[in-house]
Amino acid sequence: DIQMTQSPSSLSASVGDRVTITCRASETINSYLNWYQQHPGKAPKVLIYAASNLQSGVPSRFSGSGSGTDFTLTINSLQPEDFATYYCQQTFRTPRTFGQGTKVE
Amino acid sequence: QAQLVQSGSELKKPGASVKISCKASGYTFTSYPVNWVRQAPGQGLEWMGWINTNTGDPTYGQDFTGRYVVSLDTSVNTAYLQISSLKPDDTAIYYCARDKGVYRFTHLHYYMDIWDEGTTVTVSS
């Protein structure tokens, strides 16, 4: 299986901060990488697909970059509703493994 | 609008079976695969597998073979996840999610664009 490792596991931030979360794959996955946001008690929601494509309706302060094995999710000017847990997921090969999550608090 | 609606919470005893449903509406059910994702209490997301809603062919993650069966009833636009021989470790929220495919530079990428709020399965004696 392809292992996905996110860092950090958690971070403390304030409204208005710029936040960066990284995701590393154990082997190359080209750009087959999605980012999801999950609030407590809620279903995940896709933010970014194919590494850098913003899902419709997602605020432009979210952006994704990377290719190969290293990827980044950036949140510019963190808003109160952005405090959540973020997951990366590779879709290069099944099983479509997730990272362990990054909690932004 | 397109949506998925899952069946309600389940409380089961160890050794029993459970069958969770995921009913689609607002789109052509057979045009999009359906994924299943597990989230144990306080834990992260685990991709369990997905089913091709056009052919009915399922694909399972390595940790989800044997006791897990994903199936369809296209006459009612519904996907199912059945888990047999339940164990306390199966206690989790189970999500179904639609798989959307898009082309980027000739490559087909999939992502889960529609989710329901999940079905909580509790396994306890």
Side-chain angles (χ1 to χ4, degrees), chain A residues 15-60:
Chain A
V15 172
D17 285 352
R18 183 183 188 191
V19 169
T20 299
I21 299 168
T22 63
C23 178
R24 173 165 288 177
S26 59
E27 58 185 272
T28 184
I29 57 171
N30 297 332
S31 59
Y32 290 86
L33 190 284
N34 304 322
W35 289 98
Y36 296 88
Q37 174 194 62
Q38 187 180 33
H39 288 105
K42 297 295 186 181
K45 166 189 167 183
V46 65
L47 301 175
I48 303 287
Y49 63 91
S52 60
N53 293 269
L54 192 68
Q55 169 69 343
S56 175
V58 174
S60 59

Side-chain angles (χ1 to χ4, degrees), chain A residues 1 34 36 38 49 53 96, chain B residues 39 62 99 104 110 112:
Chain A
D1 296 2
N34 304 322
Y36 296 88
Q38 187 180 33
Y49 63 91
N53 293 269
R96 297 182 182 177
Chain B
Q39 188 167 38
Q62 287 184 323
D99 220 23
R104 288 293 177 268
Y110 285 102
M112 293 179 279

Side-chain angles (χ1 to χ4, degrees), chain A residues 49-101:
Chain A
Y49 63 91
S52 60
N53 293 269
L54 192 68
Q55 169 69 343
S56 175
V58 174
S60 59
R61 62 181 180 272
F62 292 93
S63 64
S65 64
S67 182
T69 60
D70 294 311
F71 302 86
T72 300
L73 174 70
T74 299
I75 311 172
N76 283 305
S77 188
L78 194 72
Q79 297 300 299
E81 59 269 31
D82 301 336
F83 291 93
T85 300
Y86 295 84
Y87 295 92
C88 61
Q89 185 205 22
Q90 65 82 18
T91 58
F92 182 73
R93 183 188 307 142
T94 57
R96 297 182 182 177
T97 40
F98 287 94
Q100 81 277 17

